[in-house]
Amino acid sequence: MLTLYYSPGACSLAAHIVLEESGEPYEARRVDFTKTEQRSAAYLDINPFGRVPALVLDDGTPVVENTAILPYLGKRFGLWPAGPVAEAKALSLIGFFASSVHPAHAHFRRVERYSADPSTFPAIQEMGRKTFIAYLAQVDGMLAGRDWFLDAYSVIDPYALVFYSWGLRHYELPMGEYENYTALRDRLLERPAVRRALDAEDLTT
Ligand SMILES: N[C@@H](CCC(=O)N[C@@H](CS)C(=O)NCC(=O)O)C(=O)O
């Protein structure tokens, strides 16, 4: 059985949704950030980077990083596109989310990672916030005229939901103004698996 290590509302939500979509039994283990469990020796054995998500496979092998976990789950559960071009597009989107959108947010939420000098924090946070918001607009544009990022529902769509929910929760943005992105959110909310994962993490979006 697969085990997902997650924290409510974190980027691990994408894998959580995909596991709910799978219909297979799995275990979801919460990593309590308020107790810095992500940096405990026991957790660092699973993910030496000290972050969620981590996925432990049936044979005990840990897989870490969304860039690895989401393609793995997508291929295993039929939420991954067929063919080299579609696959390249999927990897390109996952790379963009993981290496541009998420780090922009980290400059806002985890500013202490980027400077040892607290007097620089506000400027770094402001730049992170602006960059993150600019990426949200770009994501909205990518979705114009489309139901899903790719030709069919895939792991990319729940991953995009993570940043939508952060826009609401951490930045209190009027996310409804991103009409295409909001339509994607609404389509996702129609899926029982998405609802179950959100409920399990005590989230509405
Ligand atoms: N590159 C990693 C980033 C994971 C990451 O930063 N996760 C955050 C939650 S969204 C985390 O675990 N933060 C805990 C910490 O920084 O201590 C991935 O995409 O899997």
Side-chain angles (χ1 to χ4, degrees):
M1 187 165 69
L2 295 173
T3 302
L4 175 71
Y5 289 83
Y6 79 102
S7 171
C11 57
S12 44
L13 174 67
H16 202 167
I17 290 173
V18 175
L19 284 162
E20 278 298 324
E21 295 281 7
S22 77
E24 276 196 16
Y26 70 94
E27 190 180 346
R29 284 200 199 163
R30 179 177 177 175
V31 178
D32 192 341
F33 285 180
T34 65
K35 297 183 183 155
T36 47
E37 276 177 5
Q38 73 273 32
R39 287 194 273 281
S40 67
Y43 188 68
L44 291 174
D45 265 354
I46 296 161
N47 185 352
F49 306 140
R51 308 275 178 91
V52 295
L55 182 72
V56 176
L57 305 184
D58 317 69
D59 68 353
T61 305
V63 178
V64 301
E65 294 288 321
N66 278 303
T67 50
I69 292 171
L70 293 173
Y72 174 84
L73 291 175
K75 287 174 192 180
R76 178 159 164 166
F77 299 125
L79 292 173
W80 189 252
V85 176
E87 186 170 28
K89 196 166 174 196
L91 288 170
S92 163
L93 287 163
I94 289 178
F96 169 63
F97 288 159
S99 66
S100 295
V101 184
H102 191 163
H105 169 75
H107 280 74
F108 180 75
R109 284 278 291 179
R110 299 281 187 179
V111 67
E112 66 287 349
R113 278 186 204 153
Y114 299 97
S115 171
D117 175 0
S119 75
T120 64
F121 287 0
I124 294 170
Q125 285 181 303
E126 181 53 15
M127 198 60 203
R129 194 186 73 87
K130 273 192 189 149
T131 310
F132 181 74
I133 292 171
Y135 284 137
L136 296 181
Q138 207 170 347
V139 169
D140 185 61
M142 287 174 185
L143 287 164
R146 310 190 59 86
D147 280 355
W148 308 113
F149 277 92
L150 304 176
D151 288 344
Y153 178 58
S154 72
V155 295
I156 315 296
D157 304 295
Y159 198 8
L161 186 65
V162 169
F163 308 112
Y164 190 99
S165 76
W166 289 356
L168 288 172
R169 211 164 44 254
H170 299 305
Y171 301 82
E172 295 177 12
L173 295 173
M175 291 300 292
E177 289 176 7
Y178 299 119
E179 289 181 12
N180 307 311
Y181 207 166
T182 298
L184 176 81
R185 188 277 310 260
D186 292 346
R187 272 189 286 280
L188 284 162
L189 291 182
E190 283 166 16
R191 301 184 69 87
V194 174
R195 291 269 183 194
R196 286 196 301 274
L198 289 171
D199 285 350
E201 297 197 11
D202 226 359
L203 303 169
T204 47
T205 296

